Amino acid sequence: MQARAKTIQIFLPSGDPQGIRQAEITTRIVRLIEVPRALLKDFLAMPESAGGAVYFLFGDAEESAKPKVYIGQTTDLKKRLVKHHKERDFWQRAVVMLSRAESLTTTHSLYLERLCIKGAKEADRFVVENDTNGNKLNTTKPMEAECEELFETGETLMSTLGFQLFERPAKPVDGAHVYFCTASGTEARAQYTAEGMAVLKGSKARGQVTDSFKDKGFHVLRKQLEAEGILKPAGGQLVFTQDYLFKSPSAAAAIVVGNNMNGWLSWKNQEGKTLDAVVRQVAA
């Protein structure tokens, strides 16, 4: 189905764009509220915290290159968030999905929770902390259709708030331009996408890093990719075992070469033209 234009309303209760934010498509009943953990007390004083909801806890996963999320549902949001505040350390922001019409039943919430866990695992952008895929329910086809429409709205609002929980990363496209990085003996191939630089499976990265690289943030990411098996040792180099999307050409080049690099100049096409010449200079 072709995507349709949408009007989304963002409301800042305190006027602070870094504070609590509410997002909704005004013609639909789903509302998402993003809550920084430091402002949890303020949210708990809001009437929206009193009922039921599907909720998401976002934070960093120390053992992974990906961020972490926990997805749950409850009939008493205030009580559940207070419990998670006391017992779960990792999260820094919560997002709650609720009905403006207060029409979500427990069955709705349970089915939505299952859809959200499934969607997050399929997108594979976050480490999903849930041990299970949610509860299996005997639901009617009309209710499933209703929940899937609610999920679609929630998916759009989640991305609008900056959480690409359900969006599958842009995949390399057959026939698209391929760029190469061969600095320091590397043999890496990548495609430039709307989301960043996708280094292709089988690319060979430098086995060692420079001393100056060891105190950089990208070095931590490189070690995490090794720990997860995305980069595996082979013949003195590290080989990508799968396609991997980096947020920028420079991030991709830095991981491949093991040194700080200007990716716009490091990645070149078959004719030897830099990514900068092919993409940025043409668009300027």
Side-chain angles (χ1 to χ4, degrees):
M1 181 181 296
Q2 185 176 0
R4 298 187 301 273
K6 300 176 178 67
T7 298
I8 296 175
Q9 177 176 285
I10 304 291
F11 175 59
L12 309 175
S14 69
D16 181 2
Q18 300 303 317
I20 295 173
R21 298 191 295 166
Q22 299 182 13
E24 61 187 59
I25 298 174
T26 54
T27 56
R28 303 184 188 179
I29 67 170
V30 174
R31 172 183 291 162
L32 260 61
I33 304 178
E34 177 189 357
V35 184
R37 189 168 186 167
L39 299 179
L40 180 59
K41 184 176 180 181
D42 294 346
F43 174 67
L44 296 180
M46 294 170 58
E48 289 86 351
S49 70
V54 176
Y55 63 90
F56 311 81
L57 306 179
F58 292 98
D60 294 326
E62 295 181 1
E63 70 283 2
S64 174
K66 301 174 185 175
K68 182 188 291 188
V69 65
Y70 177 82
I71 302 170
Q73 66 79 35
T74 180
T75 57
D76 190 338
L77 183 59
K78 182 179 295 187
K79 181 178 179 180
R80 184 65 59 84
L81 289 180
V82 168
K83 178 179 174 66
H84 286 317
H85 186 53
K86 292 178 180 178
E87 298 179 359
R88 291 185 182 272
D89 296 331
F90 81 92
W91 66 279
Q92 293 302 317
R93 304 186 89 81
V95 175
V96 300
M97 181 191 298
L98 46 81
S99 167
R100 295 192 293 125
E102 299 182 359
S103 59
L104 291 184
T105 66
T106 299
T107 305
H108 281 101
S109 295
L110 287 167
Y111 193 80
L112 275 171
E113 176 194 41
R114 186 173 178 83
L115 284 177
C116 290
I117 293 173
K118 179 176 181 289
K121 289 185 175 181
E122 287 178 349
D124 197 29
R125 287 180 180 266
F126 286 73
V127 175
V128 180
E129 195 179 59
N130 299 68
D131 295 329
T132 69
N133 293 323
N135 295 283
K136 291 185 177 180
L137 302 171
N138 292 320
T139 51
T140 63
K141 291 297 181 182
M143 175 172 281
E144 289 179 6
E146 183 180 358
C147 287
E148 285 165 4
E149 183 175 345
L150 295 173
F151 172 77
E152 179 185 332
T153 302
E155 180 180 17
T156 299
L157 295 176
M158 188 72 77
S159 292
T160 301
L161 289 175
F163 300 93
Q164 294 177 305
L165 179 62
F166 305 119
E167 290 188 21
R168 299 190 183 191
K171 295 292 186 182
V173 179
D174 290 341
H177 291 296
V178 175
Y179 295 88
F180 303 86
C181 180
T182 57
S184 300
T186 59
E187 300 176 41
R189 299 174 302 115
Q191 289 182 356
Y192 183 62
T193 76
E195 291 191 60
M197 206 73 182
V199 178
L200 304 181
K201 179 180 178 180
S203 292
K204 296 178 181 179
R206 188 180 179 188
Q208 302 298 321
V209 302
T210 64
D211 289 339
S212 61
F213 189 69
K214 292 180 180 178
D215 61 350
K216 306 298 182 183
F218 285 142
H219 185 231
V220 176
L221 174 57
R222 199 174 196 261
K223 299 300 290 184
Q224 289 175 328
L225 293 177
E226 290 182 59
E228 292 181 37
I230 296 171
L231 284 173
K232 282 196 172 182
Q237 293 180 307
L238 295 175
V239 177
F240 280 80
T241 61
Q242 63 184 63
D243 299 335
Y244 190 84
L245 179 67
F246 294 92
K247 293 183 179 179
S248 71
S250 293
I255 297 302
V256 166
V257 182
N259 196 4
N260 294 321
M261 304 292 290
N262 183 337
W264 291 99
L265 302 180
S266 303
W267 294 102
K268 300 177 182 180
N269 65 12
Q270 284 186 324
E271 289 74 39
K273 293 183 178 180
T274 65
L275 182 63
D276 177 72
V278 175
V279 177
R280 289 206 299 190
Q281 299 306 320
V282 171

